[in-house]
Amino acid sequence: MSTTPSKVLVPADDLRAFSAALLEKGGLNPERARTTADVFVWAALRGVDSHGIARVPAYLELLAKGVANADAEITAESTTPAAAVLDADRAPGPVALSAAADEAVRRARVTGIASVGVRRTVHTGAIGYYVSRIAEQGLVGVGFVAGMPNMGYTGVKGAAVATSPLAVAVPARDHAPLLLDMATATIALGKIRQARASGTPLPEGAAATEDGTPTTDPELAVMPLPLGGAKGSGMSLAFELLTSVLVGAPIFASFHSDDPAGREHRQNALLIALDPAAFGDADAFVANVDTTLATLKDLPVAEGAEGVHYPGERSAAVGVVRGEQGVPVAPKVWRDLTEQAEKLDVRLPRTIG
């Protein structure tokens, strides 16, 4: 194998096609492979590399081990026009949640607001993608995810709840949409691993040892602590109720029970779409969103600050640059992708420079 360059730039379209080809060889049908690749490249374009193209080898492993179901039969259940539940049958998250986002939009155009729960999916990927998919249709998107407990809870010894994220996307007319995409943890698990690899101390109050004792030592840290203490842990528990319990697939209670099946990897989600037209003038809404965002950006800049930004603004700008110049792929990720390409007989994408 040739020496891995320190930096590899790949055009987004080529990276998308390459990722889809790998996922198809991994067992997904062409449409589902493209959908999953779309989510990864979207994240990579916006600089969310933890949920970007590095996830391809991980998903190939999930598919190979049968943790993710390549042939999942996604079914919909609904008893009212404004709500539905999709049983994902362990389909990869990008497949299940993309379908849920589209279903939420379709229903909200009729009912004004609609929610779609997702039961039994496997790793949702960047939740910001799905609410952004809703916002691209001119609707407001809101999303919650609940997963396997891997984070502390205030007052509990050891891991208790999940680093469950929430995301909100609001369309604008002239500005990039507002996109709030956040976990309920102070720090991501990936950041703990990075700190361990580099020997860099962790911030105070960000991570804990196995028994829940806060630590700044990356060698001892095994889990993140909740954002804002009781606030973050309370949000995570609330998201478990709004997703897992609501769709009849509890994770938290079964994880902490004596049933071994409770430790099997799975995630649940809830996506909500709101049609501004149901609340008033849709055109006036996006105009007022623009005014609100512009007002924020015109506020006095604090001393030492680089500027005033709203959620999602900077990642959208990164997306424009990477869309023009190519998506950077880290050396280790490139090595992993190259190995997978050789194993699955998939041609590597063209690179820039």
Side-chain angles (χ1 to χ4, degrees):
M1 191 182 300
S2 60
T3 302
T4 302
S6 59
K7 184 179 183 181
V8 179
L9 283 175
V10 185
D13 288 343
D14 295 70
L15 196 57
R16 188 179 292 109
F18 170 63
S19 301
L22 286 174
L23 291 163
E24 190 174 343
K25 284 292 184 73
L28 293 177
N29 68 35
E31 182 183 358
R32 289 181 173 183
R34 284 193 299 270
T35 296
T36 305
D38 277 344
V39 177
F40 296 154
V41 174
W42 178 89
L45 277 167
R46 297 178 70 97
V48 189
D49 296 320
S50 59
H51 287 67
I53 221 65
R55 289 290 180 179
V56 173
Y59 271 55
L60 289 172
E61 185 177 354
L62 289 174
L63 290 163
K65 290 182 175 179
V67 176
N69 184 2
D71 301 314
E73 294 186 17
I74 300 176
T75 55
E77 305 167 8
S78 179
T79 57
T80 180
V85 175
L86 298 187
D87 190 301
D89 190 26
R90 293 185 298 107
V95 174
L97 269 75
S98 292
D102 294 345
E103 182 70 12
V105 169
R106 186 183 69 79
R107 289 172 179 263
R109 291 210 186 281
V110 177
T111 58
I113 178 172
S115 56
V116 177
V118 178
R119 177 197 298 136
R120 295 194 309 139
T121 189
V122 177
H123 194 271
T124 53
I127 186 177
Y129 172 89
Y130 311 108
V131 293
S132 295
R133 189 176 176 116
I134 292 171
E136 285 172 2
Q137 302 299 313
L139 283 71
V140 175
V142 181
F144 308 96
V145 171
M148 306 299 288
N150 59 356
M151 180 177 77
Y153 185 96
T154 304
V156 173
K157 182 179 180 179
V161 291
T163 56
S164 301
L166 75 91
V168 179
V170 183
R173 184 177 58 191
D174 299 324
H175 290 75
L178 176 140
L179 174 58
L180 175 67
D181 185 350
M182 57 173 281
T184 48
T186 300
I187 191 172
L189 275 167
K191 294 291 186 183
I192 295 176
R193 287 191 289 267
Q194 288 175 359
R196 187 177 303 133
S198 62
T200 307
L202 293 161
E204 292 278 353
T209 61
E210 192 170 359
D211 67 358
T213 304
T215 182
T216 59
D217 187 341
E219 292 294 335
L220 300 176
V222 298
M223 65 178 176
L225 288 170
L227 183 68
K231 295 178 182 178
S233 55
M235 288 170 68
S236 177
L237 188 63
F239 297 167
E240 164 73 2
L241 299 177
L242 287 172
T243 60
S244 307
V245 176
L246 190 65
V247 301
I251 293 177
F252 175 84
S254 62
F255 180 90
H256 292 292
S257 73
D258 295 328
D259 184 1
R263 298 294 176 112
E264 293 176 359
H265 174 77
R266 63 215 186 272
Q267 294 187 348
N268 300 305
L270 181 72
L271 294 179
I272 301 168
L274 300 91
D275 186 353
F279 296 82
D281 186 329
D283 290 334
F285 172 75
V286 290
N288 286 329
V289 169
D290 270 330
T291 299
T292 302
L293 299 179
T295 299
L296 173 73
K297 292 189 66 60
D298 284 341
L299 293 177
V301 178
E303 186 176 345
E306 295 179 359
V308 179
H309 304 280
Y310 60 89
E313 179 186 5
R314 281 178 287 191
S315 59
V318 170
V320 172
V321 173
R322 290 189 172 187
E324 295 172 349
Q325 300 179 1
V327 178
V329 180
K332 182 184 181 304
V333 176
W334 184 251
R335 286 196 300 270
D336 291 343
L337 292 171
T338 300
E339 289 174 6
Q340 292 292 339
E342 290 177 351
K343 186 168 68 174
L344 298 173
D345 193 25
V346 172
R347 180 180 295 180
L348 286 170
R350 68 187 176 99
T351 59
I352 301 172

